[in-house]
Amino acid sequence: MDWSIRLLACLVGILPMGSFVRTKRDTAGNLLNTEAHSAPAQRWSMQVPAEVSAAAGEAAVLPCTFTHPHRHYDGPLTAIWRAGEAYAGPQVFRCAAARGSELCQTALSLHGRFRLLGNPRRNDLSLRVERLALADDGRYFCRVEFAGDVHDRYESRHGIRLHVSAAPRIVNLSVLPGPAHAFRALCTAEGEPPPALDWSGPALGNGSAAVPSPGQGHGHQVTAELSALAHDGRYTCTASNSLGRAEASVYLFRFHGASAAPALALPLCALGLKALLLLGVLAARAAARRRLEHLVAPDTPPRPQAQESNYENLSQMRPRDLPAATCVP
């Protein structure tokens, strides 16, 4: 076997799959040099963790890195994050970088809580989510788009599951009328893990388990009904999970027919007496205010009244109107 063939066989043995060897020979058939050319080893891919966990009120980082088959790409690019569903879910973040720029200008950040941590030029789309809420729980998908000379794009198919945990919080507690003049109570709480609900109150004891209402649970919320409030008093709903507990109370007071008339008349009479006393106090205060205003009013001399004078028209009388002087001997 010719030594050049043996050298070629050795090169084929050490080169990776997908590579090829090109040789050059002179006119005499002697080997001049050998160039090893590797086929593109990179292709489109996304590297994301299966799940990220964080507590409500805190921040979470969603890591995402990618590879692409275009070497030294410095054209325009766009980084996008979606929620809920790949390719079709609503966007929660989007930024764009101009040709040759490593600054990705933010064009969309839902509620201002999403911020890019990674550098898309360095194949990093990692995202930070601030002030987590239970509504943020779900799946997120990263995506990158190339524009300019190369039109290409890629998006993670399975995404990242963001798991948000939260201590219980009671969001609604109400008493509603029921059949036959009865009453029922509804308690709705949210948390993750979903909380367990307990009722306590008259004739219930402490820690009576509540029965979840069919069709009332939604996401991280749980609703339980106390179907009959048989006694007056305080009813307390307690929600608890592994992260804590919360409680809220409602009070029920009813009047039971004619037997309650004396009990009803007594507070009404007391209310009437209080109203009369209040009116008397207000009248006395008004009278005292009037007396005080009279005492502090400044003394002003009375305005002179016009009076008739027998002499006021004398200056206007003509001489002939004056009576003639009469001499009496």
Side-chain angles (χ1 to χ4, degrees):
M1 180 181 295
D2 185 73
W3 68 271
S4 62
I5 298 178
R6 289 198 300 268
L7 175 61
L8 178 60
C10 293
L11 287 172
V12 171
I14 63 175
L15 287 176
M17 294 294 295
S19 302
F20 61 92
V21 175
R22 178 180 299 169
T23 60
K24 295 182 181 179
R25 296 176 179 272
D26 60 9
T27 56
N30 298 321
L31 182 67
L32 296 179
N33 55 36
T34 301
E35 297 175 359
H37 298 270
S38 297
Q42 299 292 342
R43 57 184 179 84
W44 276 115
S45 67
M46 290 279 185
Q47 293 81 41
V48 296
E51 181 174 317
V52 170
S53 298
E58 298 180 356
V61 175
L62 307 180
C64 175
T65 58
F66 67 94
T67 62
H68 62 85
H70 311 288
R71 294 184 178 181
H72 310 299
Y73 177 79
D74 63 349
L77 63 82
T78 302
I80 296 173
W81 280 85
R82 301 182 189 274
E85 182 182 358
Y87 306 107
Q91 296 183 10
V92 297
F93 179 85
R94 184 177 69 254
C95 70
R99 179 181 297 274
S101 174
E102 292 198 356
L103 177 62
C104 200
Q105 294 281 357
T106 300
L108 170 67
S109 175
L110 187 64
H111 306 310
R113 297 187 298 113
F114 295 82
R115 179 167 60 90
L116 190 69
L117 285 185
N119 184 349
R121 293 292 181 193
R122 301 176 184 271
N123 301 353
D124 191 350
L125 304 177
S126 298
L127 189 72
R128 179 181 176 90
V129 187
E130 303 283 352
R131 304 186 305 277
L132 285 172
L134 282 175
D136 297 321
D137 190 279
R139 195 165 292 276
Y140 292 82
F141 304 85
C142 52
R143 176 185 178 93
V144 62
E145 298 180 352
F146 290 168
D149 299 333
V150 175
H151 292 274
D152 209 349
R153 63 201 65 187
Y154 195 78
E155 182 169 338
S156 58
R157 296 181 180 180
H158 302 291
I160 306 172
R161 173 69 165 87
L162 175 59
H163 181 78
V164 181
S165 58
R169 183 174 71 94
I170 295 178
V171 297
N172 183 55
L173 181 62
S174 57
V175 175
L176 304 174
H181 305 289
F183 292 90
R184 60 192 181 94
L186 286 178
C187 178
T188 301
E190 66 178 9
E192 181 59 36
L197 299 182
D198 296 319
W199 283 101
S200 61
L204 292 178
N206 294 323
S208 299
V211 178
S213 299
Q216 295 289 338
H218 177 70
H220 307 281
Q221 291 190 354
V222 177
T223 298
E225 177 181 351
L226 192 58
S227 58
L229 307 183
H231 300 80
D232 293 349
R234 173 183 176 182
Y235 292 85
T236 300
C237 174
T238 302
S240 59
N241 65 8
S242 58
L243 300 178
R245 56 179 287 157
E247 66 178 30
S249 299
V250 65
Y251 294 81
L252 176 68
F253 294 101
R254 295 172 295 184
F255 294 105
H256 304 279
S259 61
L264 178 62
L266 181 59
L268 289 179
C269 292
L271 182 60
L273 291 176
K274 289 181 180 180
L276 291 176
L277 289 176
L278 179 60
L279 291 176
V281 170
L282 292 177
R285 186 173 297 176
R289 184 181 297 110
R290 287 196 297 270
R291 287 197 300 270
L292 181 61
E293 291 174 353
H294 178 72
L295 291 175
V296 301
D299 295 333
T300 57
R303 299 179 61 183
Q305 301 293 326
Q307 298 181 359
E308 287 192 28
S309 174
N310 294 330
Y311 304 98
E312 62 181 349
N313 295 324
L314 290 179
S315 60
Q316 301 177 5
M317 296 178 64
R318 290 175 294 177
R320 63 175 179 269
D321 296 331
L322 293 175
T326 303
C327 293
V328 179

